[in-house]
Amino acid sequence: METKNRPLARLGAWLALGAGLVSFAGSAGGCSPGASDICDIKCACEGCTEAERDDCVGEIESTVTLAESKGCTEQYDAWLVCVEKEAECRDGEKFAFDGCDIEEDALADCGGGNQCSAAAKKLCDECNFVCAEPDPDKCTGKYACESACIVNASCTEIASPTPGGTFDMCMKGC
């Protein structure tokens, strides 16, 4: 089995989360680690300022919101448990986790995973455009926003955006 370095950024910042909850409210019986748990592990390894830790928690929470909205709570719980179990500090400075491919694939198949990966998969598999795996470290801000636009658009809209159309306006909003 191929071992992949999957930094926390893989969780991504897909949608802004308005609620300030730190733990995953939708977890079954509180068995899954919360955003704080994962970010504590990351920050203990890499060192984080308070703002960086807050960003980390926010990214995880926004992914929780996406997973909940897609009905992927069970898959997300399983993935978080795996991330916590597999987390390690490489060379004393790099947070990484391996061995969660099954859980990650189940989450992505459900629709609650990484927006950039979902957009890349759509462009390749559905639209027959470009096939490339995005860098998870760059799946924030504008790239995450544009990926969400791609995921929610048809292949026709992506290939030939209508000026002022939904896809065009979404991309301009990023």
Side-chain angles (χ1 to χ4, degrees):
M1 178 178 215
E2 182 182 347
T3 302
K4 297 178 182 176
N5 178 8
R6 301 208 184 238
L8 185 64
R10 180 93 173 145
L11 298 173
W14 323 132
L15 301 171
L17 177 70
L21 300 175
V22 172
S23 64
F24 180 38
S27 64
C31 296
S32 297
S36 287
D37 300 323
I38 300 297
C39 294
D40 286 346
I41 295 168
K42 178 187 185 298
C43 290
C45 173
E46 296 181 352
C48 296
T49 65
E50 190 65 32
E52 290 169 332
R53 186 182 179 288
D54 290 346
D55 287 346
C56 173
V57 170
E59 288 177 5
I60 294 173
E61 288 176 341
S62 64
T63 305
V64 168
T65 300
L66 176 63
E68 287 175 337
S69 74
K70 302 278 186 175
C72 303
T73 302
E74 185 178 311
Q75 293 87 340
Y76 191 78
D77 276 348
W79 187 69
L80 267 183
V81 167
C82 184
V83 169
E84 182 181 50
K85 178 182 167 196
E86 297 292 328
E88 63 181 330
C89 188
R90 295 193 180 149
D91 300 323
E93 62 185 34
K94 181 69 177 164
F95 174 82
F97 54 95
D98 298 327
C100 297
D101 291 343
I102 292 170
E103 294 82 359
E104 185 175 305
D105 289 345
L107 181 59
D109 289 345
C110 181
N114 180 315
Q115 284 289 77
C116 293
S117 291
K121 183 175 181 171
K122 179 176 187 161
L123 290 173
C124 180
D125 297 346
E126 290 179 38
C127 301
N128 296 315
F129 295 153
V130 178
C131 294
E133 182 63 28
D135 182 350
D137 288 331
K138 295 180 180 171
C139 192
T140 59
K142 182 177 180 179
Y143 296 112
C145 179
E146 289 175 346
S147 294
C149 295
I150 291 167
V151 168
N152 292 312
S154 71
C155 294
T156 304
E157 288 177 296
I158 296 167
S160 301
T162 303
T166 305
F167 178 69
D168 181 54
M169 296 307 293
C170 182
M171 293 295 280
K172 286 180 180 175
C174 293

